[in-house]
Amino acid sequence: MIEVDLHLHTTFSDGRLTPTQLVRLCAQRGLRVIAITDHDTTNGLPEALETVRAFPHMSLIPGIELSTDVPGGEVHLLGYFVNYTDQSFQDTLSRFRDGRQDRARRMVEKLNDLGVKISWERVKEIAAGAAIGRPHIAQAMVEAGYVQYPKDAFERYIGRNGVAYVERLKLTPVEAVRLLRKNGALPVMAHPTYSSTKAGRDEVANLRETLQGLRDAGLVGMEVYYGDYTPEQVAMLSRLADELGLVPCGGSDYHASGNPGEPEPGTVGPPLSTVKALEALRHARPRGD
Ligand code: AMP
Ligand code: ZN
Ligand code: FE
Ligand code: FE
């Protein structure tokens, strides 16, 4: 039985359930510990924390997800027990969100030039003030009938190798780990390897060396029990986490995206011992400080 899900998105970034709807869904699915990890924002956390109070058997870890660039790819970092009252951290997040906005507008322009006539106004309406991301553009493309599912938009147009892809301001993975540590959050590498339902997302190159380097900068864990990973992928990552002394984390990465076969809360996640390990590190004044 799955009791923990440490990777979830809400309407405050590119998820399609509000924090309240998401927390209720997780409670219905019998989860005991969840973390909300929106992209570049903590603004959904107060509502989620308030809603969780109605479910005494469940607790919420405040989290965040940051995207970083490496040559030829991306590494995402999750931060747990994030201190969302940290003003300097919030200023940085706000800059990342501005970067998302510019980049989304440029992607819509590129799509328009390619004959995909979705409007920037509609994309902004769909995002409704959230940290705007490619899934909002994908949704506009579904609505307008250009693709059947959001994932199809990634495959042809807005995925890393798509014709309408545009870069945005991103940190390096080490910078993101340091930023999270400075905030007091515990950094964890997200989805380290290939995911079959997210075309165009490859494994992190030189995974072991990358993890070792990040661990020296303050990384404490990596996702192992993630999304649609196969038992073989989980076994490989679990061995690696063990060898490197990293906490084996994970979760569904649920967005209510509308993609077929999307892993849902309650179908995948780490054991409760993972939460205990994170809590111990949190109180331990971790490495790098
Ligand atoms: P962004 O933050 O704008 O770079 O968008 C990244 C988000 O898009 C991820 O967190 C996923 O929710 C989604 N995503 C990335 N790649 C894919 C894919 N191939 N298919 C569907 N969704 C994807
Ligand atoms: Zn996302
Ligand atoms: Fe991610
Ligand atoms: Fe995510």
Side-chain angles (χ1 to χ4, degrees):
M1 172 164 165
I2 304 293
E3 296 180 296
V4 180
D5 190 329
L6 301 180
H7 194 154
L8 295 160
H9 294 272
T10 78
T11 46
F12 282 78
S13 65
D14 55 6
R16 285 163 73 178
L17 298 187
T18 65
T20 298
Q21 290 168 330
L22 180 66
V23 166
R24 288 188 182 147
L25 175 69
C26 290
Q28 272 166 22
R29 299 281 165 98
L31 290 168
R32 293 182 54 189
V33 184
I34 62 171
I36 288 182
T37 54
D38 274 317
H39 302 279
D40 295 342
T41 181
T42 61
N43 293 342
L45 294 174
E47 177 185 325
L49 287 162
E50 181 57 34
T51 308
V52 159
R53 287 159 50 119
F55 304 99
H57 67 282
M58 196 164 81
S59 64
L60 178 97
I61 298 175
I64 183 104
E65 182 170 13
L66 303 176
S67 312
T68 72
D69 260 338
V70 290
E74 260 183 57
V75 172
H76 290 187
L77 287 156
L78 300 160
Y80 294 120
F81 301 105
V82 66
N83 171 12
Y84 55 86
T85 66
D86 172 351
Q87 194 51 50
S88 123
F89 186 67
Q90 290 297 348
D91 292 345
T92 303
L93 293 184
S94 165
R95 281 203 303 281
F96 292 159
R97 293 196 297 270
D98 290 346
R100 285 179 166 279
Q101 178 94 1
D102 291 345
R103 177 254 212 157
R105 205 179 44 237
R106 285 162 58 208
M107 278 195 286
V108 170
E109 278 166 15
K110 264 195 162 176
L111 285 166
N112 287 171
D113 291 345
L114 290 162
V116 177
K117 302 291 183 194
I118 57 166
S119 79
W120 171 235
E121 282 64 40
R122 182 61 197 141
V123 173
K124 269 201 306 197
E125 242 169 59
I126 291 170
I132 198 162
R134 287 178 288 167
H136 297 119
I137 297 174
Q139 202 183 324
M141 289 173 67
V142 171
E143 268 183 20
Y146 287 103
V147 289
Q148 186 179 6
Y149 297 113
K151 69 176 183 62
D152 306 330
F154 281 84
E155 236 151 89
R156 286 194 51 197
Y157 296 101
I158 57 176
R160 233 191 145 73
N161 302 314
V163 285
Y165 181 74
V166 175
E167 269 307 335
R168 69 181 167 90
L169 167 77
K170 290 202 205 94
L171 302 175
T172 66
V174 167
E175 285 169 343
V177 166
R178 294 207 176 115
L179 176 70
L180 291 168
R181 289 305 294 260
K182 185 159 154 267
N183 167 272
L186 295 175
V188 167
M189 187 193 280
H191 40 74
T193 194
Y194 173 78
S195 165
S196 59
T197 52
K198 298 222 166 113
R201 180 188 273 173
D202 290 328
E203 62 183 355
V204 173
N206 307 318
L207 182 57
R208 176 188 302 268
E209 292 70 27
T210 307
L211 284 165
Q212 278 165 337
L214 294 180
R215 192 187 53 186
D216 294 339
L219 189 81
V220 305
M222 60 186 272
E223 284 195 313
V224 168
Y225 309 92
Y226 171 80
D228 63 351
Y229 280 179
T230 63
E232 291 73 27
Q233 286 177 305
V234 171
M236 180 275 286
L237 294 171
S238 174
R239 272 196 307 274
L240 193 55
D242 228 41
E243 268 173 53
L244 297 175
L246 293 168
V247 181
C249 298
S252 60
D253 202 0
Y254 186 61
H255 288 72
S257 66
N259 284 318
E262 182 182 13
E264 297 196 355
T267 63
V268 57
L272 268 176
S273 57
T274 289
V275 175
K276 296 270 180 300
L278 290 175
E279 274 165 355
L281 284 168
R282 179 194 183 193
H283 297 298
R285 212 63 217 144
R287 184 207 315 249
D289 286 1

